[in-house]
Amino acid sequence: MQTLRYILMRLAKAAVILFAIVILNFCLIHAAPGDPAAVMAGEAGASDELFLQQLREKFGLDQPFHIQLWKYISGLLQLDMGYSYRQDAPVWDLIMDRLPATLLLTGAAFVLSIVLGVVAGVMAAVRVGKWADTAITVAALLLYATPLFWVALMAILLFSVQLGWFPSYGMESIGSELTGFRYWLDVAHHLVLPATTLGLFFTAIYARMTRASFLETAAEDFVKTARAKGLSEGRIARRHILRNAILPVVTLAGLQAGQIVGGAVLTETVFAWPGIGRLMFDALLQRDYNVLLGVFLISSAMVLLFNLITDLIYLLVDPRIELNT
Amino acid sequence: MNAFMKNFLRNKGAVAGLILLSIVVIVAVIAPFIYPQSPWTMVQRPFQPPMALDGFYFGTDVLGRDIGAGLAHGARVSLIVGLVSTLVALLIGLPIGALAGYFGGIWDDILMRFTEFFQTIPSFALAIVIVAILQPSLSGIVLAISIVSWPPVARLVRGEFLSLRSREYVQAAILSGLSPMNIIFRQILPNAISPIIVLASLMVASAILLESALSFLGLGDPNVMSWGYMIGAGRTVLRQAWWICVFPGLAILFTVLALNLIGEGLNDALNPRLARKGR
C-alpha cells in the first residue's frame, strides 16, 4: 500500500515536471527566430501580406499568448506536435518512427555502463593500491576527459577502418533483407560500436563511484563482523559490501539518465544511427525548429521515464528507503 | 597558504595537471605570434599528412588550412569559453544556492524545485536548442553552457550554507544586526569558498567538453576556430586523413584531463581531512 503511494507520488511529481517542460518548450518555440507564418508562406512560395495574415489567423498565431499556450497543450494531448514542412510529415510521426532505435541504443549503453562500471570499480577496490587498481583508475580518468564524439570517431578508425570488425554506419546492412533472428544479429553487430562508445564515458563515472563507495563500505563494522565469522572474502565482497555500496551508484545512474539521452545526439550523428538524436542533428542543420523542439520535449520525457525506473529499482535494492518522501 | 601549496604539490597528478594546463595556456597566449595568420586562411595544398611539409608539423586539412594554427588558436577559444561560462554559471548558481540555504523554508522549496527542474532536462539537448535559437555565436554558446551547468553550484552552495548558518559566528552576526546580504556574502561565503573552487575547476573542464561538442555539431561561432569544429569538419574524411580529427581531439583530452587533475588536487589540498578517503 505504502509502495503504491510512493509510486503515485513519484508519478505526480513527474507529471508536474513534464508540465513545466511543456511550458518551457512552448516559450522556446516562440523565441525561435522566424515568424512561423512567414516560414509556411515561404515554403508555399508566396509572400503576399494578405496571405500571411490569413495564415496567422488560420493557425491562431494572432491570438494572445495564453490561448496559444492552451492550444499547444491541447494539441500535445492529441499527440500533435506540429508539422515539419521540410520533411513534409507530422513531427509526432517522425519522432515515433525514430524512437525505438534511440531506446535500443541508450538502453544498451545504460546497461553496459552500469555492469562494466560496477565490475571495474569493484575490481579496483578489491585490489586497492595494486597495478590493476591504478590501471582502472587511470583508464577511468582518461575516459572521463575524452569527448564522446571523438571516442566514437577513433573507434571507427580502429575497429571499422583498420580492423574491419564492426560496421561504422547505420543500424542494419543495406539491402540485406534479413528476417527474424538473423536480422537482430545484424542489428546487434551494428549496435556494438555506438553503444560501447556512448556507454564508456558513463562506465568511467560509475567505476570511480563504485570504487569510492566500496572502499567506504568495506571499512564499516559489519564487514569486520562478517570476516570474524569466517566468511570467504569473495562472499563478503559480493553479499555484504557490494549490496550496500551499490546504492549511491544507482542514485547517480538515475541522475545521469539525461546525460545519456544527450550523448545519444552525438553518437547517433557520428554513427548515422537512425534515432531521434540523428533527427535532431538533421533538424538543426535545416533549422527545422518544430522538429528540434519536438525531439527536445520527447527526450525530456524519456529522462523522466528513466528517473522513474531508477526510483523503482532503488525501491527493490534498498528496502529501508523512506516511502513518505 | 604555505601548507596548502605543500599539500597540492605533493600530489603528483595535480602537478602533472598544472604542467599540462600551463602548456595549453602558454600556447593560447603566444598563438598570434607563432601563427600570425588567421587559422582560416588556406596556406598549403590540402590533405598534407603531418611532417610532410616543413613547418607543418600537424598537416593540413581539407581546404589546406594549417592544423597547427587551428590547434593554437583553438586553445584560446576553449579556455575563454570554459572560464567565462563557468563564471556566469557561478553568478547564477551562487545566489540561488545561498538564498535557498540561508533563508530555508518556502524559499528553499521553491528554489530547489527550480534547480531540480533544470537538472532533469537533458542538458546537452537544452544547450543545442538554446544555441540554435540564439544563432551560433560565442556569447550564445557561453550563455547556453552556463544555463545548463549552474544547478550543481546551487546545490553545493545550498548544502554549505545550510550547515554553516547554524554556526555561532553566524548567530552572532545576526544578533549584531548585520544585514542578510552582508552575512551571506561577507560572513558565510568566504567559509564556503573551498568546495566552490574545486567544483569550479571541474566545471571549466566540462564546459570545454560541452563547447567542443556544440561546435562539433556545427553550432560554433563561424568566426572563431575551435577544436570541436576542426573535428566536425574532418569527420567526413576520416578514412583518408586521420590527422585532421586526431590532433584536436588529443588537445581537448589533454586540456580537460589537466583541469580534472588540478580539481582533484585542489580538493585533496583544501580538504585535507577528506583527502584520499577512497577517492
Side-chain angles (χ1 to χ4, degrees), chain A residues 23-39:
Chain A
I23 292 180
L24 173 72
N25 207 42
F26 177 73
C27 297
L28 287 170
I29 289 177
H30 265 251
D35 174 5
V39 174

Side-chain angles (χ1 to χ4, degrees), chain A residues 213-271:
Chain A
S213 169
F214 192 94
L215 286 177
E216 210 162 299
T217 316
E220 298 224 14
D221 285 341
F222 70 85
V223 179
K224 274 190 204 121
T225 311
R227 202 161 280 143
K229 281 197 299 186
L231 295 179
S232 73
E233 281 300 317
R235 195 182 159 87
I236 294 175
R238 274 197 313 276
R239 310 236 9 200
H240 294 251
I241 308 178
L242 184 60
R243 286 209 170 178
N244 287 289
I246 206 155
L247 294 175
V249 183
V250 174
T251 313
L252 186 73
L255 287 174
Q256 294 286 341
Q259 306 268 356
I260 288 208
V261 173
V265 181
L266 292 167
T267 328
E268 289 180 5
T269 304
V270 173
F271 289 103

Side-chain angles (χ1 to χ4, degrees), chain A residues 100-299:
Chain A
T102 299
L103 287 176
L104 179 65
L105 174 64
T106 47
F110 192 62
V111 172
L112 181 92
S113 60
I114 290 222
V115 172
L116 216 63
V118 169
V119 169
V122 170
M123 274 170 57
V126 172
R127 294 172 181 75
V128 64
K130 305 247 178 66
W131 70 267
D133 175 30
T134 316
I136 291 173
T137 311
V138 169
L141 203 60
L142 283 176
L143 280 176
Y144 191 61
T146 323
L148 184 63
F149 54 90
W150 190 69
V151 177
L153 288 171
M154 293 304 110
I156 289 180
L157 206 53
L158 180 61
F159 293 107
S160 245
V161 178
Q162 293 291 326
L163 299 170
W165 289 354
F166 300 106
S168 66
Y169 189 89
M171 191 166 97
E172 54 196 50
S173 305
I174 297 162
S176 58
E177 303 202 7
L178 296 166
T179 47
F181 182 66
R182 298 278 298 276
Y183 170 76
W184 286 108
L185 215 59
D186 186 43
V187 171
H189 193 213
H190 282 79
L191 182 64
V192 173
L193 282 188
T196 315
T197 45
L198 179 55
L200 271 182
F201 176 78
F202 302 97
T203 306
I205 298 178
Y206 301 148
R208 285 164 62 104
M209 187 80 192
T210 307
R211 179 177 178 275
S213 169
F214 192 94
L215 286 177
E216 210 162 299
T217 316
E220 298 224 14
D221 285 341
F222 70 85
V223 179
K224 274 190 204 121
T225 311
R227 202 161 280 143
K229 281 197 299 186
L231 295 179
S232 73
E233 281 300 317
R235 195 182 159 87
I236 294 175
R238 274 197 313 276
R239 310 236 9 200
H240 294 251
I241 308 178
L242 184 60
R243 286 209 170 178
N244 287 289
I246 206 155
L247 294 175
V249 183
V250 174
T251 313
L252 186 73
L255 287 174
Q256 294 286 341
Q259 306 268 356
I260 288 208
V261 173
V265 181
L266 292 167
T267 328
E268 289 180 5
T269 304
V270 173
F271 289 103
W273 188 262
I276 56 171
R278 177 81 194 175
L279 185 67
M280 191 175 200
F281 177 68
D282 292 337
L284 197 62
L285 288 184
Q286 300 165 338
R287 294 293 187 265
D288 190 344
Y289 290 99
N290 271 352
V291 174
L292 193 64
L293 287 154
V295 173
F296 175 61
L297 186 62
I298 293 295
S299 47

